[in-house]
């Protein structure tokens, strides 16, 4: 193989294997290298039968003399954790690590518990060995050890160990130390993902709800996160006025990240009056004065929500109040944080362009900034333009057109073009600036032509100045978008360019070689327009173009339907009547006031999702978030505002009945709107309320006849307290799932009401409706059926949890399914 110098012989034993041993000294101490036995049979490479580091670690962990030394024991365990973090599989050491769990050394305990929670799933049988130690540590005098043990115990994620975990977890929720309580709250959330039914039956969720009023702010923030995760599918957390007031009073006691959680939670609360809005903003004013960007953005989101409620001059004052905190955040040395703040400033500028107009110089680019920050600043500057600062901003952007970064230069040109659309008094100066950039490079010239095309659509009187000079740069442009822009100019203003037909002629001849569809489409339109203006010069060229375009697709896979159909339309139009074709194709265009961005209605939706990734991605959450990970929070019904109209996007519902206490219904269900007065059963005379009309009440075909074996009395009403008491004191009897179809969703409420299943409360959750319903059974037994229903709008899937008290659940289930199946 390789010829290398033979090392001096230290000691060789010529056998079927080779064993080499040597001692060497290094400095004052000695380093010992153990014997390595390497087989030479079968495999041409040496193989170590000891399998490397894991076996070496096992030998160290079983070394009794070494384990008696605390420092050496730490070093060995650190090495195990180090290998674990590097991705090396050390799960085979699980029995040895379990034996080290019982120790008084806090550092060793942390590392061992980290290892156990990592590999518990792979060693579920051996994991039982560490439960006794963990449960014992949960009763330790030191709260740090209790919290550590509780966190590790709940992180084992083994359904077989639930019976050992529930007890310590319940005790942790009532612990006197806040650290243990907040750890236990997170443990409840972890256990819910493993055994949700057991957690619900244990009553720990109700305990966590009560902890929203805990004296420790960290416990409160963890409780909010826990409940939002647990109740995500059942409607979310109900926000009452009392809970809102408690959180506002202790808002300064939360740390920065807890404040972010609480503020995001408070955003879902809708004040009952303008006065309450002012009280909340006064309480949150301190959150705008700190340097943590997350807290400022979360507080700003609440302020922005109130601009829609207050409106008028109050909205302008709120925007002005938010300006200083956002500008202060730009002093953050972190480029990542600056980028997030700048994306939110851009969102604010789209809604309130004049908000930062006086401070436009703070958004001038710096040479040492990252590219993403420079790009977002260019977009902001284009939004801040006004009559007084337009030329100043254009001069600043012109400096960056010459930058060595070609992408930055193109974006600067694009921003200048956007400014030209808004700054009509300075359009002449801006056009001259753009024309001066044509010789910088091919990429910049292409961007300039595209900007000039848009400007001429708004300012066609500048064509005489722009078009002749622009078309001469056609040979400098390589990309398809630039070519299409020049071709558009020739078609729209070809009479101003003497050599216009001769510029298009080689393009028509090479039509089949052009790969880009939009260039071919633009070429067809421009050639026809130029023919109608200068027919003698363009007739041969147009004939050649029609021959190629209409013959497109003769070979397999070459047909482009859009191009072929447009060519056929122009051909038949000209063949029918040239003069009529001229009137149609060269008709006078409507004057353009402003351009609509390509986002359409997405910009407004993104702004409504302020302080989220939607702003950073510039996309609504629906486009990048799975439905299973969306946090839905249910708003408790606020006191009616005088003369206030229902919020946009929510169904019209009857006014709720006055309640003497806070909303308990949402507490029992883990979310949901408070129960309004029971809706009467729809009558055949058409006297249903607005809510019945929204869901198809008072009309439509009658539902399929239900089985006659069960009778429900629609005239017996159930009030809110009785419903709450029945739901809280009874377990779930069963679940009903029926696919009714999206088109039948509006008919569900009326159909069930006709069958005797009445609605007590309803909430529009955005993508689903949530209803609380009940039915009174009179035969064959006497009892009540309580339902919590979720109806998906898009799929029409009906899902209900049913709690039956004294009635016949199987017959009731069959009746409900029969009614829904008949829609």
């Amino acid at each position: 193989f390789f010829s290398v110098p033979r090392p001096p012989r230290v000691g060789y034993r010529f056998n079927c294997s080779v064993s080499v041993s040597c001692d060497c000294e290094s400095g004052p101490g000695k380093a010992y290298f153990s014997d390595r036995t390497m087989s030479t049979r079968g495999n041409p490479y040496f193989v170590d039968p000891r399998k490397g580091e894991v076996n070496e670690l096992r030998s160290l962990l079983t070394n009794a003399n070494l384990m008696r030394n605390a420092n050496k024991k730490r070093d060995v365990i650190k090495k195990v954790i180090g290998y674990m973090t590097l991705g090396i599989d050390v799960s085979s050491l699980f029995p040895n690590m379990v034996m080290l769990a019982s120790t008084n050394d806090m550092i060793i305990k942390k590392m061992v518990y980290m290892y156990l929670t990592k590999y518990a799933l792979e060693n579920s049988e051996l994991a039982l060995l560490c439960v006794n130690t963990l449960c014992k540590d949960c009763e330790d005098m030191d709260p740090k050890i209790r919290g550590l043990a509780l966190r590790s115990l709940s992180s084992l994620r083994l359904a077989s160990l639930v019976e050992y975990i529930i007890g310590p977890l319940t005790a942790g929720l009532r612990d006197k130390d806040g650290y243990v309580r907040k750890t236990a709250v997170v443990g409840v959330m972890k256990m819910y993902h493993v055994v949700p039914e057991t957690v619900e039956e244990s009553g720990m969720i109700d305990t966590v709800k009560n902890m929203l009023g805990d004296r420790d702010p960290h416990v409160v923030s963890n409780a909010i996160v826990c409940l939002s995760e647990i109740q995500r599918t059942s409607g979310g957390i109900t926000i009452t006025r009392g809970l809102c007031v408690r959180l506002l009073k202790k808002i300064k006691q939360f740390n920065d990240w807890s404040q972010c959680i609480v503020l995001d939670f408070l955003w879902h609360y809708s004040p009952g009056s303008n006065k309450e809005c002012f009280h909340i903003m006064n309480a949150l004013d301190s959150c705008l004065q700190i340097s943590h960007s997350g807290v400022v953005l979360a507080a700003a989101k609440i302020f922005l929500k109130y601009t829609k409620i207050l409106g008028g001059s109050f909205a302008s004052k709120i925007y002005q109040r938010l300006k200083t905190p956002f500008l202060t955040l730009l002093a953050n040395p972190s480029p990542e944080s600056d980028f997030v703040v700048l994306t939110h400033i851009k969102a604010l500028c789209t809604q309130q362009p004049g908000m930062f107009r006086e401070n436009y110089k703070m958004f001038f680019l710096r040479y040492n900034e990252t590219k993403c920050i420079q790009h977002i600043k260019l977009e902001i500057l284009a939004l801040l333009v006004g009559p007084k600062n337009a030329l100043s901003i254009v001069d600043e952007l012109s400096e960056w057109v010459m930058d060595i970064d070609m992408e930055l230069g193109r974006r600067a040109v694009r921003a200048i073009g956007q400014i030209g659309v808004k700054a009509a008094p300075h359009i002449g100066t801006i056009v001259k600036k753009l024309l001066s950039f044509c010789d910088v490079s091919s990429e910049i010239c292409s961007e300039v032509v595209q900007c000039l095309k848009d400007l001429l659509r708004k300012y066609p009187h500048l064509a005489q100045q722009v078009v002749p000079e622009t078309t001469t740069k056609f040979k400098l442009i390589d990309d398809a978008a630039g070519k299409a822009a020049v071709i558009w100019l020739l078609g729209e203003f070809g009479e101003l360019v003497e050599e216009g037909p001769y510029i298009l002629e080689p393009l028509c001849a090479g039509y089949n070689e052009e790969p880009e569809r939009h260039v071919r489409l633009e070429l067809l339109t421009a050639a026809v327009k130029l023919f109608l203006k200068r027919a003698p010069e363009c007739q041969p060229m147009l004939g050649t173009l029609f021959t190629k375009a209409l013959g497109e697709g003769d070979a397999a896979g070459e047909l482009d339907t859009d191009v072929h159909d447009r060519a056929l339309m122009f051909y038949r139009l000209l063949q029918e009547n040239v003069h009529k074709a001229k009137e149609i194709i060269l008709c006078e265009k409507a004057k353009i006031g402003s351009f609509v961005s390509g986002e359409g209605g997405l910009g407004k939706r993104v702004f409504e999702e302020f302080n989220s990734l939607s702003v950073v991605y510039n996309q609504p959450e629906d486009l990048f978030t799975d439905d299973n990970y969306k946090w839905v929070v249910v708003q408790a019904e606020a006191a009616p505002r005088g003369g206030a109209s229902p919020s946009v996007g929510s169904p019209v519902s009857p006014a709720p009945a006055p309640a003497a206490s806070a909303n308990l219904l949402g507490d029992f269900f883990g979310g949901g709107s408070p129960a309004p007065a029971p809706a009467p059963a729809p009558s055949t005379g058409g006297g249903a309320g607005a809510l019945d009309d929204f869901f198809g009440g008072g009309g439509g075909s009658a539902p399929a006849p239900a089985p006659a074996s069960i009778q429900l009395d629609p005239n017996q009403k159930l009030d809110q307290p009785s419903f709450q008491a029945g739901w809280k004191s009874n377990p779930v009897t069963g679940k009903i799932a029926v696919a009714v179809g999206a088109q039948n969703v509006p008919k569900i409420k009326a159909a069930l009401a006709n069958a005797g299943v009445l609605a007590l409360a309803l909430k529009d959750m955005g993508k689903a409706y949530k209803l609380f319903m009940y039915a009174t059974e009179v035969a064959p037994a006497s009892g009540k059926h309580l339902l919590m229903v979720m109806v998906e709008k898009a799929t029409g899937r009906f899902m209900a949890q049913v709690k039956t008290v004294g009635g016949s659940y199987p017959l009731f289930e069959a009746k409900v399914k029969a009614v829904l199946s008949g829609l």
Side-chain angles (χ1 to χ4, degrees):
F1 289 61
F2 294 100
S3 177
V4 295
R6 177 176 295 179
R9 299 184 178 181
V10 178
Y12 287 81
R13 290 179 299 176
F14 294 94
N15 203 332
C16 60
S17 62
V18 181
S19 176
V20 182
S21 64
C22 65
D23 293 345
C24 64
E25 295 187 1
S26 177
K30 293 185 178 181
Y32 299 96
F33 294 85
S34 58
D35 293 347
R36 301 283 183 177
T37 303
M38 297 165 286
S39 174
T40 58
R41 295 180 179 178
N43 195 328
Y45 304 100
F46 294 122
V47 179
D48 186 357
R50 296 179 58 195
K51 296 183 180 179
E53 297 85 351
V54 177
N55 286 282
E56 184 177 345
L57 289 173
R58 182 181 290 107
S59 63
L60 293 175
L61 290 172
T62 55
N63 189 328
N65 294 328
L66 188 64
M67 291 296 104
R68 291 193 187 98
N69 189 314
N71 292 329
K72 291 184 178 180
K73 184 192 292 188
R74 288 182 185 178
D75 293 339
V76 174
I77 299 175
K78 285 179 182 177
K79 200 170 185 180
V80 174
I81 300 299
Y83 286 154
M84 184 179 73
T85 56
L86 291 174
I88 299 175
D89 183 14
V90 290
S91 59
S92 59
L93 302 177
F94 196 87
N96 307 95
M97 296 294 288
V98 168
M99 297 175 63
L100 301 177
S102 180
T103 178
N104 295 325
D105 192 317
M106 190 67 173
I107 297 176
I108 294 178
K109 193 180 290 290
K110 286 183 178 180
M111 291 190 292
V112 172
Y113 285 173
M114 181 188 301
Y115 174 90
L116 295 179
T117 55
K118 168 71 175 177
Y119 292 109
L121 285 176
E122 301 177 16
N123 300 271
S124 56
E125 297 180 357
L126 294 176
L128 184 62
L129 300 175
C130 66
V131 170
N132 184 47
T133 302
L134 290 170
C135 291
K136 183 180 178 181
D137 285 346
C138 288
E139 300 174 357
D140 196 272
M141 296 295 293
D142 190 347
K144 292 183 179 180
I145 293 180
R146 293 202 302 272
L148 176 64
L150 198 58
R151 183 180 64 188
S152 304
L153 195 62
S154 59
S155 299
L156 293 178
R157 295 166 293 172
L158 293 172
S160 59
L161 302 180
V162 170
E163 58 181 313
Y164 305 102
I165 301 175
I166 293 296
L169 205 56
T170 305
L173 293 174
R174 298 180 174 87
D175 197 278
K176 61 182 180 180
D177 190 88
Y179 171 73
V180 181
R181 292 199 303 276
K182 77 168 188 175
T183 305
V185 169
V186 178
V188 172
M189 180 175 63
K190 294 177 181 178
M191 292 307 301
Y192 183 83
H193 290 299
V194 180
V195 281
E197 297 82 4
T198 304
V199 173
E200 290 175 355
E201 295 172 358
S202 66
M204 287 190 291
I205 296 179
D206 291 334
T207 305
V208 175
K209 289 178 183 177
N210 295 331
M211 297 176 77
L212 289 173
D214 195 276
R215 62 182 182 275
D216 191 311
H218 300 91
V219 176
V220 176
S221 62
N222 280 16
I224 292 174
V225 174
C226 175
L227 291 174
S228 66
E229 181 73 17
I230 290 175
Q231 300 177 355
R232 184 179 58 205
T233 57
S234 61
I237 312 171
T238 301
I239 308 177
T240 61
R241 187 177 186 276
L243 176 58
C244 178
V245 171
R246 289 198 302 270
L247 293 175
L248 288 173
K249 285 182 178 179
K250 58 171 63 175
I251 190 67
K252 294 182 181 179
Q253 301 176 20
F254 294 97
N255 60 26
D256 291 343
W257 292 113
S258 296
Q259 283 187 8
C260 294
I261 294 171
V262 173
L263 290 171
D264 193 40
F265 178 67
L266 290 175
W267 177 82
H268 296 87
Y269 176 73
S270 295
S273 64
N274 290 353
K275 185 177 181 180
E276 190 175 359
C277 290
F278 292 128
H279 286 322
I280 294 176
M281 287 191 292
N282 289 333
L284 297 180
D285 189 69
S286 61
C287 296
L288 297 175
Q289 301 174 11
I290 64 177
S291 58
H292 194 282
S293 59
V295 178
V296 175
L297 292 175
K301 185 177 182 180
I302 298 177
F303 279 64
L304 292 172
K305 178 181 179 180
Y306 295 164
T307 58
K308 299 179 181 179
I309 299 176
L310 300 175
S313 60
F314 291 114
S316 301
K317 292 180 180 179
I318 292 175
Y319 278 110
Q320 288 301 315
R321 176 65 188 90
L322 295 176
K323 180 173 71 171
T324 301
F326 275 90
L327 293 177
T328 303
L329 291 177
L330 291 179
N332 194 312
S334 170
E336 293 82 5
S337 177
D338 285 346
F339 178 76
V340 172
V341 173
L342 286 169
T343 55
H344 284 79
I345 289 177
K346 177 190 171 186
L348 287 171
C349 291
T350 58
Q351 301 297 316
Q352 196 77 5
M355 183 175 176
F356 297 96
R357 188 166 289 166
E358 297 178 356
N359 309 94
Y360 69 94
K361 290 187 178 180
M362 294 193 66
F363 300 97
F364 280 179
L365 281 65
R366 298 183 176 90
Y367 73 94
N368 58 347
E369 290 176 330
T370 58
K371 298 303 177 185
C372 61
I373 291 181
Q374 289 179 334
H375 295 169
I376 194 70
K377 279 189 173 183
L378 289 175
E379 297 176 14
I380 293 174
L381 285 172
L383 296 171
L384 298 181
V385 66
K388 297 181 180 179
N389 61 8
L391 293 181
S392 178
I393 295 176
V394 169
D395 290 339
E396 171 67 18
L397 296 180
S398 299
E399 298 296 328
W400 294 98
V401 174
M402 310 293 182
D403 193 80
I404 192 172
D405 182 1
M406 200 58 63
E407 179 61 25
L408 182 62
R410 296 190 66 160
R411 288 175 179 262
V413 171
R414 198 177 306 154
I416 294 174
Q418 294 171 0
I419 293 173
V421 174
K422 301 177 182 179
H426 308 289
I427 185 59
T429 305
I430 293 174
V431 167
K432 290 180 181 178
K433 283 274 188 185
L434 289 172
L435 290 173
S436 66
F437 300 144
C438 288
D439 296 326
V440 174
S441 66
S442 172
E443 292 82 359
I444 298 298
C445 184
S446 173
E447 197 68 43
V448 168
V449 172
Q450 295 174 56
C451 292
L452 291 174
K453 181 196 75 170
D454 292 336
L455 291 177
L456 289 181
R457 292 173 62 191
K458 184 174 182 180
Y459 311 105
H461 61 278
L462 297 174
Q464 186 68 47
Q465 174 187 353
V466 173
V467 175
E469 184 173 350
T470 304
T471 52
T472 59
K473 310 295 182 181
F474 182 76
K475 294 182 180 180
L476 299 177
I477 300 173
D478 296 328
D479 66 322
K483 289 181 180 178
V486 176
I487 293 171
W488 181 89
L489 291 174
L490 290 172
E492 198 70 24
F493 306 100
E495 68 278 9
L496 302 177
V497 183
E498 185 177 352
E499 298 181 356
Y502 308 104
I503 297 176
L504 293 181
E505 189 172 8
L507 296 176
C508 295
Y511 173 86
N512 291 334
E513 286 73 33
E514 177 55 54
E516 298 295 335
R517 172 194 293 178
H518 62 283
V519 175
R520 285 181 285 164
L521 288 171
E522 205 64 65
L523 183 59
L524 274 170
T525 305
V528 172
K529 287 182 177 180
L530 203 57
F531 167 76
L532 295 174
K533 297 175 182 179
R534 302 166 64 172
E537 299 172 85
C538 299
Q539 185 174 0
M541 173 186 68
L542 186 61
T544 302
L545 184 60
F546 276 144
T547 301
K548 294 179 178 292
L550 294 176
E552 186 176 9
D554 292 342
E558 290 186 1
L559 177 63
D560 190 318
T561 307
D562 291 342
V563 179
H564 181 272
D565 289 353
R566 180 175 294 191
L568 189 60
M569 180 195 70
F570 283 141
Y571 178 79
R572 289 178 176 174
L573 197 60
L574 293 171
Q575 189 180 39
E576 180 68 23
N577 192 320
V578 176
H579 300 290
K580 287 290 184 183
K582 185 174 183 180
E583 293 178 6
I584 295 172
I585 298 173
L586 299 182
C587 64
E588 186 177 356
K589 309 295 190 301
K591 187 176 181 181
I592 296 176
S594 60
F595 292 97
V596 179
S597 63
E599 299 174 3
L602 295 182
K604 186 176 180 180
R605 291 179 58 194
V606 168
F607 186 74
E608 292 174 352
E609 297 168 11
F610 200 82
N611 189 31
S612 69
L613 284 176
S614 299
V615 181
V616 179
Y617 292 159
N618 197 27
Q619 291 181 343
E621 64 171 356
D622 297 340
L623 300 181
F624 64 89
T625 307
D626 190 273
D627 291 342
N628 295 329
Y629 295 92
K630 293 178 182 176
W631 177 12
V632 180
V633 179
V634 178
Q635 171 63 48
E637 199 71 37
R641 298 164 56 90
S645 59
S647 59
V648 177
S650 61
V652 180
S653 58
S661 60
N663 174 32
L664 301 177
L665 186 63
D667 294 338
F668 294 136
F669 296 135
S673 58
S683 63
T684 56
L691 185 60
D692 290 325
D693 292 339
F694 182 81
F695 276 93
S701 60
S709 56
I710 185 173
Q711 295 181 14
L712 304 177
D713 186 0
N715 297 319
Q716 292 193 25
K717 306 302 179 185
L718 185 67
D719 57 10
Q720 175 181 342
S722 301
F723 192 101
Q724 295 171 0
W727 188 273
K728 183 177 181 181
S729 58
N730 293 281
V732 176
T733 308
K735 298 181 180 180
I736 302 175
V738 182
V740 298
Q743 71 278 7
N744 294 321
V745 169
K747 304 176 184 178
I748 292 176
K749 181 176 177 293
L752 291 176
N754 290 336
V757 184
L758 306 179
L760 187 65
L762 177 143
K763 181 67 178 180
D764 187 350
M765 310 298 295
K767 290 194 174 183
Y769 293 111
K770 182 176 183 179
L771 301 93
F772 296 108
M773 311 184 77
Y774 66 92
T776 304
E777 181 180 342
V778 293
S782 178
K784 297 284 186 183
H785 302 277
L786 310 179
L787 297 86
M788 182 173 67
V789 180
M790 295 291 291
V791 182
E792 297 178 355
K793 297 179 182 179
T795 62
R797 182 172 174 79
F798 176 97
M799 296 169 287
Q801 288 186 6
V802 185
K803 295 188 177 183
T804 299
V805 184
S808 174
Y809 170 73
L811 296 178
F812 177 75
E813 179 184 13
K815 183 179 182 72
V816 172
K817 288 185 176 180
V819 171
L820 297 178
S821 300
L823 292 177

